[in-house]
Amino acid sequence: MEHFTIATVAEKSPDFRRVLWTGEHTQLVIMTIPADGEIGEEVHEDIDQILTFVSGVGEARVAGAKRKVVAGDLVVVPAGTKHNFVNTGPNPLVLYTVYGPPEHADKAVHKTKEEADAAEAAGKDEPPTA
């Protein structure tokens, strides 16, 4: 059994992205977006994503719509939907997200967005294959 006190684990992580658990069909990832930072506009063609916000203030930009997000909010991003999440506050925007199927390499840790982008560009952040 895997067990996480997820808000506490997410709050303690300074990393932009950290994969906590990868299963055959889903993946659990925590993220910390620094002030003035963002996840970056993207589309996951075959992956649904559910994001739950733990702390901070941000803006969800999903399918052309914008909405403020705060601790306790949850946003669903269906596969094939353009999206971005931007930190609009002075403190880190902390969240956890579930991808279905997995999106990132198992146990991947990216300290910054730049590190995450470089790993993706180099093909070093590929999810495990069945």
Side-chain angles (χ1 to χ4, degrees):
M1 171 183 16
E2 295 287 339
H3 176 271
F4 301 98
T5 305
I6 194 66
T8 302
V9 172
E11 281 283 349
K12 288 183 178 180
S13 176
D15 301 314
F16 175 75
R17 180 186 302 134
R18 177 179 291 270
V19 176
L20 290 182
W21 179 82
T22 302
E24 185 177 345
H25 304 288
T26 57
Q27 183 173 63
L28 175 62
V29 176
I30 53 177
M31 298 186 75
T32 299
I33 313 305
D36 298 320
E38 63 182 84
I39 290 176
E41 188 172 86
E42 59 188 359
V43 175
H44 305 298
E45 291 299 337
D46 299 315
I47 298 171
D48 292 323
Q49 186 175 8
I50 299 170
L51 303 95
T52 303
F53 296 85
V54 174
S55 65
V57 178
E59 183 176 76
R61 300 175 182 173
V62 180
K66 294 181 182 181
R67 186 165 194 154
K68 180 178 178 179
V69 291
V70 298
D73 286 352
L74 182 145
V75 177
V76 175
V77 180
T81 304
K82 186 184 293 186
H83 61 282
N84 191 9
F85 295 87
V86 179
N87 184 342
T88 59
N91 300 313
L93 179 61
V94 179
L95 63 104
Y96 61 93
T97 183
V98 176
Y99 294 96
E103 166 69 1
H104 299 287
D106 189 30
K107 307 292 186 212
V109 176
H110 302 119
K111 295 193 181 304
T112 64
K113 181 177 183 333
E114 294 75 22
E115 187 178 302
D117 290 346
E120 288 178 21
K124 295 181 180 177
D125 190 33
E126 296 300 315
T129 55

